[in-house]
Amino acid sequence: MPPKGKADLAHPQAADWVMGTLGPDEAVGFQLHLKGCPHCQAAVAEFGQLGKVLQNLPPSVEPSAKLEARVIASVLAAAAEDRTPTQVQHVPAVPPATAEDRSSTQVVQIPAAPPETRTARRRGGGGAAKIFRFPRWPGRPGLIAIAGAVAAAVISAAVVILPGLGGGGPAAAFAFSLRSPSGASGTVTAGQDASGSWDLTVTVRDLPHTHGEQVYECWYLGRGQPGHQPVASAGTFVMEDGGSGTFHMTSAADPKDFPTMEIVREPGSTDGALRGTPVLTGHARKL
Amino acid sequence: VSLDDAEVRIAAQEAQLVAQIADGNIEEPMKELYRRYAKNLYRFGYHMLGDVGLAEEMVQESFQRLWRSARRYEASRGSVAAFLFVIARSVAADIRKRPSSRPLLQVEDFQLPTLPDSADQILDGLVVREALDKLSSAHAEVLRLGLVEGLTQAEVAEQLGLAIGTVKSRTFNGLRALRIALGERGIHAA
């Protein structure tokens, strides 16, 4: 039988009950009051169920504007990888930097090259290679980590470069397979936003954990003889929890000029030089 | 939720988009579905995971799985929206199981909400959220202060400089307006 009272004559605490804003003691007190108040009974009968729905609503939040480009690029990368049978390339391990390499590293400002260029000796000896030091943003370890087997399987692919993203132009695309003899694998998706920056999503699988000050650094390698290519860092991340993860970075480097990517384990306190051991390497493939 | 003619047209159009994706024409249909559903997927993800980064990951993984599953979609068994939110629920469950997601919670004893039982439950919640966002400002304000800020009627009255009776009236009238708006969207909350 419906309550005989009128909801509009209910006590304000009836509205608090419906909205779930009463404290525990107040709620007990209101329940006692409810038994003898037909108006509050009417209010609870009319609004109680809707109130419960409202108390468990998703929040009114918005995804970032850049997410669309990232999502579409990652799906296209997975689709491209799916069309092309995966060929695991056994990348010969590059010996770690030697003391001689480190001591011979020179950082020299070259004002003409935007936005900031340095030269340094590339590991393996020989002449100096350019290091393009673009602005970089640290990875967000863990925040976007992917451990789901499906996700990892889907994205065992590549770097995809979509210059048209954000600008509405035609989308050229490239793919880089990132592989390692150790079994680790990875992918990076890259889309250019309206400002010309490149949004990178780096996804890795089965990487060893970093320890102490160690970081993984994403290096673009330009064209040139091995050991003499210009290189550009896109950013760093750490791997503290699990061997897989996804990280977001932004780089000014145009991947068309840097058709190879290496993910290198650096000893920490990066100072602009490429010093460490590469753990993942991949080359560009136009889609 | 009953389907009127417009909803039937939209359902057929979205089924066609999924069919195009299944045929390998991915980019434009995927963009269209993203624009229709990303916001609500993200809200659901944030609600279930309590972290913006994990919510974005859930959205990205949901569209990946949509592409992977496109060939298995059958329009006769449900809408694309329901198909997508079933996927999203599964992705959210996977992320919640992952040890690496736990330390990200900012409050140690923070309790994540229970995962909904069905896609319909998710969709209903999202429709209610949209309807709530479209209420008049006077109604929306008192409801928001209660639901989001957790303020009691007396606290809302103090904050807005209103009589407590006025706040109560706006609360109840706001709930009535919301019920009507939900009815127009096919959701009937008693």
Side-chain angles (χ1 to χ4, degrees):
Chain A
M1 191 171 67
K4 293 177 181 175
K6 294 183 177 178
D8 289 329
L9 299 179
H11 289 78
Q13 279 202 323
D16 287 327
W17 172 267
V18 168
M19 302 289 281
T21 52
L22 286 179
D25 293 342
E26 294 167 317
V28 170
F30 178 75
Q31 279 181 306
L32 292 173
H33 166 81
L34 187 62
K35 289 178 182 172
C37 180
H39 301 311
C40 287
Q41 289 171 11
V44 170
E46 184 177 352
F47 303 116
Q49 189 172 337
L50 183 55
K52 284 181 184 171
V53 172
L54 293 177
Q55 288 171 40
N56 198 33
L57 281 186
S60 185
V61 292
E62 303 279 340
S64 72
K66 294 178 178 178
L67 184 61
E68 178 178 350
R70 272 210 313 268
V71 168
I72 301 301
S74 71
V75 174
L76 292 176
E81 180 70 9
D82 210 45
R83 284 197 297 270
T84 306
T86 301
Q87 295 179 347
V88 177
Q89 297 178 346
H90 289 281
V91 181
V94 178
T98 64
E100 180 184 357
D101 291 331
R102 287 194 291 273
S103 63
S104 62
T105 297
Q106 296 178 345
V107 179
V108 178
Q109 294 291 338
I110 303 176
E116 180 184 354
T117 24
R118 301 173 179 178
T119 61
R121 186 177 297 278
R122 180 91 165 94
R123 62 170 174 269
K130 287 182 182 175
I131 291 183
F132 294 80
R133 177 57 84 190
F134 294 100
R136 63 183 184 177
W137 289 257
R140 295 190 297 167
L143 276 182
I144 311 290
I146 287 182
V150 173
V154 166
I155 318 176
S156 63
V159 175
V160 169
I161 299 127
L162 300 171
L165 286 175
F174 299 84
F176 291 63
S177 290
L178 301 180
R179 292 287 186 269
S180 159
S182 69
S185 61
T187 180
V188 180
T189 60
Q192 193 170 26
D193 65 22
S195 71
S197 294
W198 294 83
D199 294 324
L200 307 180
T201 301
V202 180
T203 301
V204 293
R205 270 185 89 189
D206 301 327
L207 282 181
H209 295 189
T210 48
H211 301 282
E213 297 294 312
Q214 286 180 340
V215 295
Y216 285 110
E217 187 151 16
C218 300
W219 287 96
Y220 281 118
L221 273 60
R223 301 175 195 283
Q225 293 297 316
H228 298 268
Q229 305 108 307
V231 297
S233 173
T236 62
F237 61 90
V238 296
M239 186 61 68
E240 294 175 332
D241 184 18
S244 302
T246 298
F247 308 90
H248 297 290
M249 302 171 187
T250 305
S251 172
D254 187 335
K256 288 195 294 293
D257 300 324
F258 294 88
T260 302
M261 177 168 277
E262 285 186 357
I263 294 181
V264 176
R265 185 152 58 174
E266 299 284 5
S269 61
T270 57
D271 58 0
L274 197 169
R275 298 171 179 277
T277 308
V279 292
L280 285 171
T281 306
H283 302 289
R285 173 169 60 85
K286 191 167 185 177
L287 299 177
Chain B
V1 177
S2 62
L3 296 178
D4 60 19
D5 288 347
E7 287 172 322
V8 169
R9 270 202 311 279
I10 290 170
Q13 187 189 50
E14 292 183 348
Q16 184 61 31
L17 291 173
V18 174
Q20 289 174 18
I21 291 169
D23 288 342
N25 176 17
I26 298 168
E27 186 168 356
E28 291 308 319
M30 192 64 83
K31 281 182 178 175
E32 182 60 34
L33 290 173
Y34 179 93
R35 286 162 192 162
R36 292 184 187 197
Y37 291 110
K39 182 176 77 176
N40 279 337
L41 280 171
Y42 179 77
R43 288 179 173 182
F44 169 66
Y46 185 76
H47 189 49
M48 289 296 122
L49 300 166
D51 178 271
V52 293
L54 293 176
E56 289 195 351
E57 177 189 344
M58 191 212 76
V59 173
Q60 180 165 327
E61 176 62 13
S62 296
F63 281 103
Q64 289 262 3
R65 291 194 195 181
L66 174 66
W67 163 67
R68 289 267 176 210
S69 311
R71 287 185 188 282
R72 295 201 296 274
Y73 172 69
E74 294 176 32
S76 60
R77 297 179 61 185
S79 67
V80 170
F83 187 62
L84 189 52
F85 278 94
V86 165
I87 291 173
R89 184 193 180 284
S90 172
V91 175
D94 288 347
I95 292 174
R96 281 163 63 132
K97 288 177 195 164
R98 193 172 65 204
S100 61
S101 68
R102 290 176 194 148
L104 299 172
L105 300 177
Q106 295 180 351
V107 182
E108 283 184 6
D109 60 355
F110 181 73
Q111 295 291 313
L112 289 173
T114 307
L115 280 167
D117 292 331
S118 68
D120 280 347
Q121 204 175 332
I122 302 169
L123 291 168
D124 284 356
L126 292 164
V127 171
V128 175
R129 160 57 64 194
E130 286 192 340
L132 188 59
D133 290 345
K134 289 180 180 171
L135 285 181
S136 75
S137 59
H139 290 149
E141 187 171 38
V142 294
L143 294 181
R144 186 190 66 78
L145 288 171
L147 293 169
V148 179
E149 308 290 335
L151 300 185
T152 64
Q153 299 282 289
E155 290 166 338
V156 173
E158 185 178 348
Q159 181 157 332
L160 298 182
L162 297 172
I164 190 169
T166 304
V167 173
K168 183 194 73 177
S169 295
R170 287 187 184 180
T171 301
F172 286 161
N173 288 333
L175 292 172
R176 287 181 180 121
L178 183 62
R179 182 187 286 117
I180 292 169
L182 291 175
E184 290 169 352
R185 291 167 169 81
I187 294 178
H188 300 284

